[in-house]
Amino acid sequence: ETGVTQTPRHLVMGMTNKKSLKCEQHLGHNAMYWYKQSAKKPLELMFVYSLEERVENNSVPSRFSPECPNSSHLFLHLHTLQPEDSALYLCASSPLIQNVDEQFFGPGTRLTVL
Amino acid sequence: DQQVKQNSPSLSVQEGRISILNCDYTNSMFDYFLWYKKYPAEGPTFLISISSIKDKNEDGRFTVFLNKSAKHLSLHIVPSQPGDSAVYFCAAGEGSNYKLTFGKGTLLTVNP
């Protein structure tokens, strides 16, 4: 595997479910990001990790819980979501958080909350 | 309020002609700008960037123009090819801040 991979690619869940999104980067990068893209809205930054430390929580509700166990893996744990949380969730990585023009994106997870 | 706006949701161009994608911004603190391209079922990929100290940056068929006084930038693709058909996102950043503000994107269709 190369680049940034995300699993699952599609997820349908009920409002009472607990699920997790997984992101893995094979680029040796030190910064990882979660973005959300809702229909008809711009990409929104959710969380940023640098060297496995969270450096940004962009006013994201607590029903989204990120985890970065090492520099290659990033998770987004989901619980008691709302239908308006249905969106495309994109993971990205970059060598360092300053390298904004070197963010590599994964293909995303399309999440539907029923 | 949106700080980065791409007012055209879609654009259709004939192969070989020029594609011009536009982006406007409101935050005068933005000092670098990026364009990303996104194919269906793939993540966005970085295309080209420009710093506010420049008014033009060129990379092959892609040129980005920046008009700071108008707070406007544009991406020119010449000549356009069918493989350029994708959604193009404009993004802006400020200083050493890693946060990017994105536009909603413009779907470009290049017809053979």
Side-chain angles (χ1 to χ4, degrees):
Chain A
E1 290 274 21
T2 58
V4 180
T5 58
Q6 290 187 243
T7 54
R9 295 294 307 275
H10 299 271
L11 178 62
V12 179
M13 60 187 287
M15 290 194 289
T16 57
N17 291 157
K18 287 186 182 182
K19 296 285 184 184
S20 295
L21 309 185
K22 179 183 175 183
C23 174
E24 186 172 359
Q25 58 98 359
H26 310 268
L27 300 165
H29 289 170
N30 290 306
M32 296 188 78
Y33 311 76
W34 278 118
Y35 285 89
K36 175 184 177 183
Q37 187 179 22
S38 304
K40 312 259 188 237
K41 287 189 177 180
L43 257 71
E44 299 172 67
L45 182 65
M46 299 175 73
F47 300 105
V48 181
Y49 278 82
S50 176
L51 297 168
E52 298 150 49
E53 273 196 44
R54 192 192 312 181
V55 298
E56 179 72 35
N57 176 347
N58 200 21
S59 305
V60 181
S62 59
R63 57 186 184 270
F64 294 91
S65 174
E67 180 191 0
C68 188
N70 56 63
S71 59
S72 299
H73 293 87
L74 186 64
F75 294 90
L76 188 62
H77 304 297
L78 316 171
H79 63 99
T80 59
L81 294 194
Q82 305 297 313
E84 60 263 29
D85 296 322
S86 299
L88 179 68
Y89 289 85
L90 289 161
C91 172
S93 71
S94 65
L96 298 169
I97 59 173
Q98 300 93 321
N99 304 128
V100 287
D101 59 347
E102 295 182 66
Q103 282 190 26
F104 285 79
F105 284 83
T109 295
R110 175 70 61 186
L111 173 68
T112 303
V113 181
L114 302 176
Chain B
D1 189 35
Q2 268 190 270
Q3 295 187 63
V4 176
K5 294 181 185 178
Q6 293 177 257
N7 291 319
S8 298
S10 63
L11 174 68
S12 186
V13 169
Q14 209 60 31
E15 181 179 5
R17 305 294 289 268
I18 184 171
S19 295
I20 301 176
L21 297 114
N22 293 305
C23 179
D24 296 294
Y25 62 96
T26 56
N27 186 345
S28 57
M29 299 300 291
F30 288 144
D31 56 8
Y32 61 90
F33 305 88
L34 305 93
W35 285 94
Y36 287 83
K37 179 166 83 171
K38 185 181 184 303
Y39 292 118
E42 294 184 15
T45 55
F46 169 73
L47 193 56
I48 192 169
S49 65
I50 188 165
S51 158
S52 62
I53 62 173
K54 292 186 167 185
D55 53 19
K56 176 182 173 182
N57 189 24
E58 196 171 348
D59 184 2
R61 295 185 298 113
F62 303 90
T63 304
V64 57
F65 295 92
L66 176 62
N67 181 334
K68 289 185 289 293
S69 59
K71 294 193 179 69
H72 176 84
L73 63 154
S74 60
L75 174 69
H76 293 214
I77 307 174
V78 181
S80 302
Q81 299 172 354
D84 296 329
S85 297
V87 176
Y88 289 79
F89 294 99
C90 169
E94 179 186 336
S96 59
N97 193 331
Y98 49 80
K99 281 190 192 180
L100 293 175
T101 302
F102 284 82
K104 291 185 182 180
T106 297
L107 173 63
L108 173 66
T109 303
V110 180
N111 301 303

